[in-house]
Short mmCIF file of all heavy atoms in Angstrom, two decimals:
data_model
loop_
_atom_site.label_atom_id
_atom_site.label_comp_id
_atom_site.label_asym_id
_atom_site.label_seq_id
_atom_site.Cartn_x
_atom_site.Cartn_y
_atom_site.Cartn_z
N GLN A 28 -141.64 -32.83 54.79
CA GLN A 28 -142.72 -33.70 55.26
C GLN A 28 -143.98 -32.86 55.38
O GLN A 28 -143.91 -31.68 55.72
CB GLN A 28 -142.34 -34.29 56.63
CG GLN A 28 -143.41 -35.17 57.26
CD GLN A 28 -142.99 -35.69 58.62
OE1 GLN A 28 -141.87 -36.13 58.82
NE2 GLN A 28 -143.90 -35.63 59.58
N GLU A 29 -145.12 -33.47 55.09
CA GLU A 29 -146.36 -32.71 55.21
C GLU A 29 -146.61 -32.34 56.67
O GLU A 29 -146.66 -33.20 57.54
CB GLU A 29 -147.55 -33.50 54.67
CG GLU A 29 -148.85 -32.69 54.69
CD GLU A 29 -150.06 -33.45 54.21
OE1 GLU A 29 -149.98 -34.71 54.08
OE2 GLU A 29 -151.10 -32.82 53.97
N ILE A 30 -146.78 -31.04 56.91
CA ILE A 30 -147.03 -30.54 58.25
C ILE A 30 -148.45 -29.97 58.32
O ILE A 30 -148.86 -29.18 57.47
CB ILE A 30 -146.03 -29.43 58.64
CG1 ILE A 30 -144.60 -29.98 58.62
CG2 ILE A 30 -146.37 -28.84 60.00
CD1 ILE A 30 -144.32 -31.09 59.62
N ILE A 31 -149.20 -30.40 59.33
CA ILE A 31 -150.55 -29.89 59.55
C ILE A 31 -150.55 -29.09 60.85
O ILE A 31 -150.10 -29.57 61.89
CB ILE A 31 -151.58 -31.04 59.67
CG1 ILE A 31 -151.53 -31.94 58.42
CG2 ILE A 31 -152.97 -30.47 59.89
CD1 ILE A 31 -151.90 -31.24 57.14
N LEU A 32 -151.03 -27.88 60.78
CA LEU A 32 -151.07 -26.99 61.94
C LEU A 32 -152.46 -26.97 62.58
O LEU A 32 -153.47 -26.98 61.88
CB LEU A 32 -150.70 -25.56 61.54
CG LEU A 32 -149.25 -25.30 61.13
CD1 LEU A 32 -149.12 -23.90 60.53
CD2 LEU A 32 -148.31 -25.46 62.32
N MET A 33 -152.49 -26.90 63.90
CA MET A 33 -153.72 -26.66 64.65
C MET A 33 -153.57 -25.32 65.34
O MET A 33 -152.72 -25.16 66.21
CB MET A 33 -153.96 -27.77 65.67
CG MET A 33 -155.08 -27.47 66.67
SD MET A 33 -156.69 -27.11 65.91
CE MET A 33 -157.12 -28.74 65.30
N GLY A 34 -154.35 -24.33 64.92
CA GLY A 34 -154.22 -22.99 65.46
C GLY A 34 -154.98 -22.78 66.76
O GLY A 34 -155.90 -23.53 67.08
N ALA A 35 -154.59 -21.74 67.48
CA ALA A 35 -155.25 -21.39 68.73
C ALA A 35 -156.66 -20.88 68.49
O ALA A 35 -157.49 -20.88 69.39
CB ALA A 35 -154.45 -20.34 69.48
N GLY A 36 -156.93 -20.44 67.28
CA GLY A 36 -158.25 -19.93 66.94
C GLY A 36 -158.26 -19.47 65.50
O GLY A 36 -157.24 -19.50 64.82
N ARG A 37 -159.44 -19.03 65.04
CA ARG A 37 -159.57 -18.55 63.67
C ARG A 37 -159.62 -17.04 63.66
O ARG A 37 -160.10 -16.42 64.60
CB ARG A 37 -160.86 -19.07 63.05
CG ARG A 37 -161.01 -20.57 63.04
CD ARG A 37 -162.41 -20.93 62.55
NE ARG A 37 -162.64 -22.36 62.54
CZ ARG A 37 -163.80 -22.92 62.23
NH1 ARG A 37 -164.84 -22.16 61.92
NH2 ARG A 37 -163.94 -24.23 62.23
N THR A 38 -159.13 -16.45 62.58
CA THR A 38 -159.41 -15.04 62.33
C THR A 38 -160.08 -14.95 60.96
O THR A 38 -159.78 -15.73 60.06
CB THR A 38 -158.13 -14.18 62.33
OG1 THR A 38 -157.19 -14.71 61.38
CG2 THR A 38 -157.49 -14.14 63.71
N ASP A 39 -161.00 -14.00 60.82
CA ASP A 39 -161.73 -13.83 59.57
C ASP A 39 -160.84 -13.18 58.51
O ASP A 39 -159.76 -12.67 58.80
CB ASP A 39 -162.97 -12.97 59.79
CG ASP A 39 -164.01 -13.66 60.65
OD1 ASP A 39 -164.03 -14.90 60.69
OD2 ASP A 39 -164.82 -12.94 61.28
N ALA A 40 -161.34 -13.17 57.28
CA ALA A 40 -160.62 -12.53 56.17
C ALA A 40 -160.32 -11.08 56.51
O ALA A 40 -161.18 -10.34 56.97
CB ALA A 40 -161.47 -12.60 54.90
N GLY A 41 -159.06 -10.68 56.32
CA GLY A 41 -158.65 -9.30 56.54
C GLY A 41 -158.28 -8.95 57.95
O GLY A 41 -157.77 -7.85 58.20
N VAL A 42 -158.50 -9.85 58.92
CA VAL A 42 -158.15 -9.59 60.32
C VAL A 42 -156.66 -9.90 60.52
O VAL A 42 -156.10 -10.79 59.88
CB VAL A 42 -159.02 -10.44 61.26
CG1 VAL A 42 -158.57 -10.29 62.72
CG2 VAL A 42 -160.49 -10.04 61.12
N HIS A 43 -156.03 -9.15 61.43
CA HIS A 43 -154.60 -9.29 61.67
C HIS A 43 -154.33 -10.01 63.00
O HIS A 43 -155.22 -10.11 63.85
CB HIS A 43 -153.94 -7.91 61.72
CG HIS A 43 -154.49 -6.94 60.73
ND1 HIS A 43 -154.32 -7.09 59.37
CD2 HIS A 43 -155.26 -5.81 60.89
CE1 HIS A 43 -154.93 -6.09 58.73
NE2 HIS A 43 -155.51 -5.32 59.63
N ALA A 44 -153.10 -10.50 63.15
CA ALA A 44 -152.70 -11.12 64.42
C ALA A 44 -151.30 -10.65 64.79
O ALA A 44 -150.36 -10.83 64.01
CB ALA A 44 -152.72 -12.64 64.31
N LYS A 45 -151.20 -10.03 65.96
CA LYS A 45 -149.88 -9.65 66.48
C LYS A 45 -149.24 -10.82 67.20
O LYS A 45 -148.01 -10.88 67.33
CB LYS A 45 -150.01 -8.47 67.44
CG LYS A 45 -150.43 -7.17 66.76
CD LYS A 45 -150.42 -6.02 67.76
CE LYS A 45 -150.76 -4.71 67.07
NZ LYS A 45 -150.71 -3.56 68.02
N GLU A 46 -150.07 -11.73 67.70
CA GLU A 46 -149.56 -12.94 68.33
C GLU A 46 -150.59 -14.06 68.19
O GLU A 46 -151.73 -13.91 68.61
CB GLU A 46 -149.27 -12.70 69.81
CG GLU A 46 -148.79 -13.97 70.53
CD GLU A 46 -148.50 -13.73 72.01
OE1 GLU A 46 -149.44 -13.76 72.82
OE2 GLU A 46 -147.32 -13.53 72.34
N LEU A 47 -150.15 -15.15 67.59
CA LEU A 47 -151.00 -16.33 67.48
C LEU A 47 -150.12 -17.55 67.60
O LEU A 47 -148.93 -17.51 67.25
CB LEU A 47 -151.76 -16.33 66.15
CG LEU A 47 -152.82 -17.43 65.95
CD1 LEU A 47 -153.86 -17.42 67.06
CD2 LEU A 47 -153.51 -17.25 64.60
N TYR A 48 -150.69 -18.63 68.13
CA TYR A 48 -149.95 -19.88 68.28
C TYR A 48 -150.65 -20.99 67.50
O TYR A 48 -151.86 -20.97 67.30
CB TYR A 48 -149.90 -20.31 69.75
CG TYR A 48 -149.02 -19.46 70.64
CD1 TYR A 48 -149.52 -18.31 71.23
CD2 TYR A 48 -147.71 -19.83 70.90
CE1 TYR A 48 -148.73 -17.53 72.06
CE2 TYR A 48 -146.91 -19.07 71.74
CZ TYR A 48 -147.42 -17.92 72.32
OH TYR A 48 -146.63 -17.15 73.14
N ALA A 49 -149.85 -21.97 67.09
CA ALA A 49 -150.37 -23.20 66.50
C ALA A 49 -149.43 -24.32 66.92
O ALA A 49 -148.30 -24.06 67.34
CB ALA A 49 -150.44 -23.10 64.99
N HIS A 50 -149.91 -25.56 66.84
CA HIS A 50 -149.01 -26.67 67.15
C HIS A 50 -148.93 -27.63 65.98
O HIS A 50 -149.81 -27.69 65.13
CB HIS A 50 -149.42 -27.39 68.44
CG HIS A 50 -150.63 -28.28 68.34
ND1 HIS A 50 -151.83 -28.00 68.95
CD2 HIS A 50 -150.81 -29.48 67.70
CE1 HIS A 50 -152.70 -28.96 68.69
NE2 HIS A 50 -152.10 -29.87 67.93
N PHE A 51 -147.81 -28.38 65.93
CA PHE A 51 -147.63 -29.43 64.92
C PHE A 51 -146.73 -30.50 65.51
O PHE A 51 -146.02 -30.28 66.49
CB PHE A 51 -147.04 -28.86 63.62
CG PHE A 51 -145.63 -28.35 63.74
CD1 PHE A 51 -144.53 -29.15 63.43
CD2 PHE A 51 -145.38 -27.04 64.15
CE1 PHE A 51 -143.23 -28.67 63.52
CE2 PHE A 51 -144.09 -26.54 64.25
CZ PHE A 51 -143.01 -27.36 63.94
N ASP A 52 -146.80 -31.69 64.91
CA ASP A 52 -146.00 -32.82 65.37
C ASP A 52 -144.91 -33.13 64.36
O ASP A 52 -145.15 -33.14 63.14
CB ASP A 52 -146.89 -34.05 65.58
CG ASP A 52 -147.92 -33.85 66.69
OD1 ASP A 52 -147.59 -33.15 67.67
OD2 ASP A 52 -149.05 -34.36 66.57
N PHE A 53 -143.71 -33.39 64.90
CA PHE A 53 -142.56 -33.71 64.05
C PHE A 53 -141.49 -34.34 64.93
O PHE A 53 -141.57 -34.27 66.15
CB PHE A 53 -142.03 -32.42 63.38
CG PHE A 53 -140.97 -32.67 62.34
CD1 PHE A 53 -141.31 -33.20 61.10
CD2 PHE A 53 -139.64 -32.37 62.60
CE1 PHE A 53 -140.33 -33.43 60.14
CE2 PHE A 53 -138.66 -32.60 61.65
CZ PHE A 53 -139.01 -33.13 60.41
N GLY A 54 -140.50 -34.94 64.29
CA GLY A 54 -139.37 -35.51 65.04
C GLY A 54 -138.40 -34.41 65.45
O GLY A 54 -138.79 -33.28 65.74
N GLU A 55 -137.12 -34.73 65.46
CA GLU A 55 -136.09 -33.75 65.82
C GLU A 55 -135.93 -32.75 64.68
O GLU A 55 -135.70 -33.12 63.53
CB GLU A 55 -134.76 -34.46 66.08
CG GLU A 55 -133.70 -33.57 66.69
CD GLU A 55 -133.95 -33.27 68.15
OE1 GLU A 55 -134.48 -34.16 68.86
OE2 GLU A 55 -133.64 -32.16 68.59
N ILE A 56 -136.08 -31.47 64.99
CA ILE A 56 -135.93 -30.42 63.97
C ILE A 56 -134.45 -30.21 63.66
O ILE A 56 -133.65 -29.96 64.58
CB ILE A 56 -136.56 -29.09 64.42
CG1 ILE A 56 -138.08 -29.22 64.46
CG2 ILE A 56 -136.14 -27.94 63.52
CD1 ILE A 56 -138.82 -27.97 64.88
N PRO A 57 -134.07 -30.34 62.40
CA PRO A 57 -132.66 -30.16 62.04
C PRO A 57 -132.25 -28.69 62.15
O PRO A 57 -133.05 -27.79 61.90
CB PRO A 57 -132.61 -30.62 60.57
CG PRO A 57 -134.00 -30.43 60.06
CD PRO A 57 -134.91 -30.68 61.23
N GLN A 58 -131.01 -28.45 62.55
CA GLN A 58 -130.47 -27.09 62.67
C GLN A 58 -131.43 -26.19 63.45
O GLN A 58 -131.79 -25.10 63.00
CB GLN A 58 -130.18 -26.50 61.28
CG GLN A 58 -129.25 -27.32 60.43
CD GLN A 58 -129.08 -26.73 59.04
OE1 GLN A 58 -128.77 -25.55 58.88
NE2 GLN A 58 -129.30 -27.55 58.02
N LYS A 59 -131.79 -26.65 64.64
CA LYS A 59 -132.81 -25.95 65.44
C LYS A 59 -132.45 -24.49 65.73
O LYS A 59 -133.30 -23.62 65.80
CB LYS A 59 -133.01 -26.71 66.76
CG LYS A 59 -134.00 -26.08 67.74
CD LYS A 59 -135.43 -26.15 67.25
CE LYS A 59 -136.45 -25.80 68.33
NZ LYS A 59 -136.32 -24.44 68.85
N ASP A 60 -131.14 -24.22 65.89
CA ASP A 60 -130.71 -22.89 66.30
C ASP A 60 -131.10 -21.80 65.30
O ASP A 60 -131.39 -20.67 65.69
CB ASP A 60 -129.20 -22.84 66.53
CG ASP A 60 -128.79 -23.62 67.78
OD1 ASP A 60 -129.69 -23.93 68.59
OD2 ASP A 60 -127.59 -23.91 67.94
N ASN A 61 -131.11 -22.13 64.01
CA ASN A 61 -131.47 -21.11 63.02
C ASN A 61 -132.74 -21.49 62.25
O ASN A 61 -132.97 -21.00 61.15
CB ASN A 61 -130.31 -20.84 62.05
CG ASN A 61 -130.04 -22.01 61.12
OD1 ASN A 61 -130.52 -23.12 61.36
ND2 ASN A 61 -129.29 -21.77 60.06
N PHE A 62 -133.56 -22.35 62.88
CA PHE A 62 -134.76 -22.82 62.21
C PHE A 62 -135.75 -21.68 61.95
O PHE A 62 -136.34 -21.59 60.87
CB PHE A 62 -135.45 -23.93 63.03
CG PHE A 62 -136.68 -24.48 62.38
CD1 PHE A 62 -136.59 -25.32 61.27
CD2 PHE A 62 -137.95 -24.17 62.86
CE1 PHE A 62 -137.72 -25.83 60.66
CE2 PHE A 62 -139.09 -24.67 62.26
CZ PHE A 62 -138.97 -25.50 61.15
N VAL A 63 -135.94 -20.81 62.91
CA VAL A 63 -136.88 -19.70 62.75
C VAL A 63 -136.43 -18.79 61.61
O VAL A 63 -137.24 -18.35 60.79
CB VAL A 63 -137.02 -18.90 64.06
CG1 VAL A 63 -137.81 -17.61 63.84
CG2 VAL A 63 -137.72 -19.75 65.12
N PHE A 64 -135.13 -18.52 61.55
CA PHE A 64 -134.59 -17.68 60.47
C PHE A 64 -134.86 -18.32 59.11
O PHE A 64 -135.30 -17.66 58.16
CB PHE A 64 -133.08 -17.46 60.67
CG PHE A 64 -132.43 -16.73 59.54
CD1 PHE A 64 -132.49 -15.35 59.45
CD2 PHE A 64 -131.76 -17.43 58.53
CE1 PHE A 64 -131.90 -14.66 58.40
CE2 PHE A 64 -131.16 -16.76 57.48
CZ PHE A 64 -131.23 -15.37 57.41
N ARG A 65 -134.60 -19.62 59.01
CA ARG A 65 -134.81 -20.31 57.74
C ARG A 65 -136.29 -20.36 57.37
O ARG A 65 -136.66 -20.18 56.21
CB ARG A 65 -134.23 -21.74 57.82
CG ARG A 65 -132.71 -21.75 57.82
CD ARG A 65 -132.14 -23.17 57.77
NE ARG A 65 -132.41 -23.89 59.01
CZ ARG A 65 -132.91 -25.11 59.06
NH1 ARG A 65 -133.23 -25.77 57.96
NH2 ARG A 65 -133.11 -25.71 60.23
N LEU A 66 -137.15 -20.59 58.37
CA LEU A 66 -138.59 -20.64 58.11
C LEU A 66 -139.09 -19.30 57.59
O LEU A 66 -139.87 -19.23 56.64
CB LEU A 66 -139.33 -21.04 59.38
CG LEU A 66 -140.86 -21.11 59.30
CD1 LEU A 66 -141.33 -22.02 58.18
CD2 LEU A 66 -141.44 -21.57 60.64
N ASN A 67 -138.64 -18.21 58.21
CA ASN A 67 -139.07 -16.89 57.76
C ASN A 67 -138.64 -16.58 56.34
O ASN A 67 -139.32 -15.84 55.62
CB ASN A 67 -138.55 -15.81 58.72
CG ASN A 67 -139.44 -15.64 59.94
OD1 ASN A 67 -140.66 -15.62 59.82
ND2 ASN A 67 -138.84 -15.53 61.12
N SER A 68 -137.54 -17.17 55.90
CA SER A 68 -137.09 -16.93 54.53
C SER A 68 -138.01 -17.59 53.50
O SER A 68 -138.01 -17.22 52.33
CB SER A 68 -135.65 -17.44 54.35
OG SER A 68 -135.61 -18.86 54.39
N PHE A 69 -138.82 -18.56 53.95
CA PHE A 69 -139.79 -19.23 53.09
C PHE A 69 -141.14 -18.51 53.08
O PHE A 69 -142.02 -18.87 52.31
CB PHE A 69 -140.02 -20.67 53.55
CG PHE A 69 -138.98 -21.65 53.08
CD1 PHE A 69 -137.74 -21.72 53.70
CD2 PHE A 69 -139.23 -22.52 52.03
CE1 PHE A 69 -136.78 -22.62 53.27
CE2 PHE A 69 -138.29 -23.43 51.59
CZ PHE A 69 -137.05 -23.47 52.22
N LEU A 70 -141.30 -17.53 53.95
CA LEU A 70 -142.60 -16.88 54.13
C LEU A 70 -142.64 -15.49 53.49
O LEU A 70 -141.61 -14.82 53.40
CB LEU A 70 -142.91 -16.74 55.63
CG LEU A 70 -143.16 -18.05 56.38
CD1 LEU A 70 -143.15 -17.80 57.88
CD2 LEU A 70 -144.48 -18.68 55.95
N PRO A 71 -143.83 -15.04 53.09
CA PRO A 71 -143.96 -13.68 52.55
C PRO A 71 -143.74 -12.64 53.66
O PRO A 71 -143.72 -12.97 54.85
CB PRO A 71 -145.40 -13.64 52.04
CG PRO A 71 -146.12 -14.70 52.81
CD PRO A 71 -145.11 -15.77 53.07
N LYS A 72 -143.59 -11.38 53.24
CA LYS A 72 -143.25 -10.32 54.19
C LYS A 72 -144.33 -10.06 55.22
O LYS A 72 -144.05 -9.51 56.29
CB LYS A 72 -142.93 -9.04 53.43
CG LYS A 72 -141.67 -9.13 52.58
CD LYS A 72 -141.42 -7.84 51.83
CE LYS A 72 -140.16 -7.95 50.99
NZ LYS A 72 -139.91 -6.68 50.22
#
């Protein structure tokens, strides 16, 4: 499903983030226990 994120703030090109938050709306997340692991597998290093 198309997910739109609202971030806590912007960072400029080349700036890093050790901790940042964003929110999104969705129903019940399937397989919640390993959702973070699965999401990270879709993301670059």
Side-chain angles (χ1 to χ4, degrees):
Q28 177 181 316
E29 184 182 13
I30 299 297
I31 304 297
L32 291 170
M33 170 57 70
R37 303 173 181 176
T38 55
D39 292 335
V42 174
H43 322 292
K45 292 184 177 182
E46 177 180 83
L47 187 56
Y48 289 86
H50 75 249
F51 67 94
D52 296 326
F53 188 74
E55 190 74 35
I56 290 181
Q58 304 176 52
K59 177 69 168 61
D60 290 345
N61 70 345
F62 181 73
V63 171
F64 174 81
R65 288 185 292 131
L66 178 55
N67 277 317
S68 70
F69 279 77
L70 293 168
K72 294 179 180 179

